[in-house]
Amino acid sequence: MLNRRKLIQRLTAFPFVGGLVSTIPFASAIASPKDPKRELFKEFGVRTFINAAGTLTYMTGSLMHDEVLEAINSTSKEFCLLDEVQDKVGEKIAKMVHSEAAVVTSGAFSAMTLALAGILTGKDEKKVAELPHIAYTGMKSEVICQKSHDIVYNHALTNTGCKIIQVETAEDVDKAVNERTALLHFLHIESDKGKIQHEEWVALGKKHGIPTGIDMAADVPPVSNLWRFNDMGFDFVVISGGKAMRGPQSAGLLMGKKHIIEAARLHMPPRGFNIGRGMKINKEEIFGMYVALEKYINQDHDKEWKEWEDKIAHIQNTVNKISGITTEIHVPPLGNHTPTLRITWDAAKVKVTDKQLREAMRFGTPSIELGGGTANSVNVTVFMLKPGQEKIVATRLKEELNKATA
Ligand SMILES: *Cc1c(COP(=O)(O)O)cnc(C)c1O
């Protein structure tokens, strides 16, 4: 990849260069669009890196499997009806995840918006067109969720025009439910922070006759979470496609009750009289998502876990030899469920802050991104590494930590 020095050399080779944009005509002169090996990252001077941090949106999520890319490529050569693809792919996905119906969405966030929109309007097209202006329409307008579950992503729900009502206990739910309540929403990754657990949440929904939904965007592995919440009785479940499943970053799944999915689809392209017209997902992404899901369900998860443990052990054994370093492996129980190495140092012996270490790794060769920690710790995951990269991460960490110890 183009390191900074080379980039600067390239920039200064041109007298008129004021910024990166000016490198584009130059680069396209050496890389014709017909060149199968065209390297767009280099052409644009975009830094690429080894991802030892995790599936983070700002780091572009995950790397799609080759099979996903093949699905995208092979389906890009013909026309078909967008709805027909969604019908047929959705039917197969629903069987795989034990739901009545499913649809591929442009991510977990849009799946939440579309599901709630569908709940509010049903299949009434007049109501579909009215969202998000729900006042005086007779539509419901409130979503109940536990205080600890009310995170930024709930903006997906308020996009419909609804507001969030926070609760803490089951009694709070009983009091908060009224004729305006549209949904009881649950967030799996914060379930240990709430007083009400999944089963009780579903039971509260049933008791009050109100649908329940769950956001489990980043919460495979374990693979069983794909059907666990459908089996449990949630009316809809959303997950991201471009995190551990390694589908397109722009894709996700909405699974759930048939009437909700059917109504949600009225809010989606190709229809355009709705709030979801901008949440388009193309045929290639739909097929790509399907293939990613299929591959994820059928892969050997025990074998993969063992590979992660071996890679973590390699990095751990390498940095453990440095004096002042302690390491610990933990597995986040609810989301990003993968062996994670926390490297902590004695600030008196190892003179570096976490920020400095992460920058040294970022601007080293090759560039490596680590997970954030505290002032004197960082986190390392290996589930987004390509084969062999754990050796590079270990060596570079050792170099930088040794430097700080000297
Ligand atoms: C990542 C994430 C989302 C958003 O998912 P997208 O697939 O990027 O739309 C929503 N909720 C939670 C908890 C997430 O981690």
Side-chain angles (χ1 to χ4, degrees):
M1 71 158 268
L2 200 61
N3 66 29
R4 285 196 305 169
R5 196 184 311 132
K6 278 203 200 111
L7 179 64
I8 289 162
Q9 278 167 359
R10 196 172 272 194
L11 285 168
T12 48
F14 277 77
F16 53 83
V17 166
L20 271 178
V21 174
S22 311
T23 65
I24 295 167
F26 166 75
S28 54
I30 54 164
S32 108
K34 288 197 201 90
D35 182 351
K37 295 225 171 55
R38 190 173 178 185
E39 294 182 85
L40 288 158
F41 287 122
K42 282 190 185 166
E43 207 174 307
F44 283 82
V46 171
R47 178 176 64 96
T48 59
F49 50 82
I50 293 176
N51 180 358
T55 58
L56 297 152
T57 300
Y58 79 102
M59 293 187 191
T60 63
S62 60
L63 299 181
M64 287 183 274
H65 287 292
D66 288 342
E67 292 90 331
V68 175
L69 291 165
E70 275 159 30
I72 289 172
N73 254 317
S74 66
T75 56
S76 67
K77 317 285 184 202
E78 302 289 346
F79 288 97
C80 64
L81 295 178
L82 189 54
D83 271 333
E84 188 181 353
V85 182
Q86 286 286 30
D87 286 344
K88 291 184 174 161
V89 170
E91 203 179 317
K92 279 197 101 170
I93 291 177
K95 287 206 183 85
M96 292 156 89
V97 299
H98 310 184
S99 65
E100 284 179 17
V103 63
V104 179
T105 61
S106 54
F109 191 96
S110 72
M112 281 163 67
T113 303
L114 295 166
L116 177 56
I119 288 169
L120 296 175
T121 63
K123 291 201 225 165
D124 182 334
E125 296 195 355
K126 181 169 169 285
K127 288 183 179 167
V128 171
E130 281 171 333
L131 290 189
H133 303 287
I134 48 181
Y136 312 111
T137 61
M139 278 186 266
K140 296 183 174 184
S141 57
E142 293 177 3
V143 173
I144 295 175
C145 92
Q146 295 181 75
K147 197 171 167 192
S148 53
H149 294 203
D150 193 11
I151 60 162
V152 289
Y153 294 118
N154 281 356
H155 209 107
L157 302 171
T158 57
N159 274 353
T160 61
C162 281
K163 64 177 183 181
I164 306 279
I165 309 293
Q166 292 183 349
V167 295
E168 289 186 71
T169 64
E171 294 74 54
D172 291 347
V173 175
D174 291 340
K175 274 189 234 145
V177 168
N178 63 60
E179 70 285 355
R180 295 182 298 280
T181 310
L183 172 69
L184 300 188
H185 186 68
F186 197 91
L187 178 64
H188 178 62
I189 202 165
E190 296 292 333
S191 53
D192 57 343
K193 309 225 172 52
K195 293 200 171 76
I196 310 171
Q197 290 306 302
H198 312 69
E199 287 87 351
E200 190 181 5
W201 196 253
V202 170
L204 282 164
K206 295 224 161 81
K207 171 175 149 191
H208 291 290
I210 298 185
T212 47
I214 182 167
D215 174 0
M216 49 155 286
D219 308 341
V220 295
V223 62
S224 55
N225 275 357
L226 280 168
W227 42 85
R228 176 179 166 207
F229 305 113
N230 290 310
D231 289 343
M232 209 181 264
F234 277 94
D235 294 279
F236 76 80
V237 179
V238 309
I239 187 165
S240 298
K243 292 177 182 168
M245 279 198 282
R246 296 177 55 185
Q249 191 189 12
S250 49
L253 298 177
L254 169 61
M255 315 163 249
K257 293 282 165 10
K258 199 160 181 257
H259 67 278
I260 294 179
I261 307 296
E262 283 176 357
R265 285 189 52 190
L266 291 183
H267 295 266
M268 293 181 75
R271 285 152 291 281
F273 55 94
N274 51 38
I275 59 168
R277 183 60 179 82
M279 304 175 194
K280 186 164 58 190
I281 174 118
N282 63 37
K283 64 178 183 304
E284 294 86 354
E285 293 168 309
I286 297 169
F287 283 118
M289 185 66 243
Y290 174 76
V291 168
L293 175 71
E294 189 183 49
K295 185 173 167 69
Y296 187 70
I297 289 176
N298 293 329
Q299 78 183 47
D300 186 340
H301 293 273
D302 293 337
K303 182 168 161 248
E304 183 181 58
W305 194 273
K306 178 79 182 52
E307 283 165 9
W308 290 343
E309 285 182 333
D310 289 348
K311 289 177 185 180
I312 286 278
H314 174 76
I315 299 169
Q316 183 176 35
N317 292 335
T318 307
V319 299
N320 265 351
K321 296 192 184 101
I322 302 163
S323 109
I325 300 287
T326 49
T327 56
E328 171 208 0
I329 298 167
H330 69 283
V331 179
L334 296 166
N336 303 303
H337 183 68
T338 187
T340 304
L341 181 68
R342 167 157 294 189
I343 304 172
T344 307
W345 54 93
D346 176 350
K349 285 191 187 154
V350 184
K351 304 241 181 318
V352 69
T353 65
D354 75 310
K355 196 163 166 278
Q356 288 164 340
L357 178 64
R358 289 174 73 197
E359 282 191 359
M361 296 288 284
R362 179 174 302 142
F363 295 118
T365 309
S367 179
I368 299 171
E369 289 287 346
L370 303 176
T374 60
N376 60 333
S377 74
V378 290
N379 281 302
V380 174
T381 67
V382 295
F383 70 144
M384 290 295 118
L385 297 185
K386 292 191 252 183
Q389 287 184 332
E390 71 282 2
K391 303 229 162 62
I392 304 171
V393 173
T395 305
R396 285 289 301 128
L397 273 169
K398 189 169 109 185
E399 280 170 12
E400 289 301 330
L401 288 168
N402 271 333
K403 227 190 269 177
T405 313

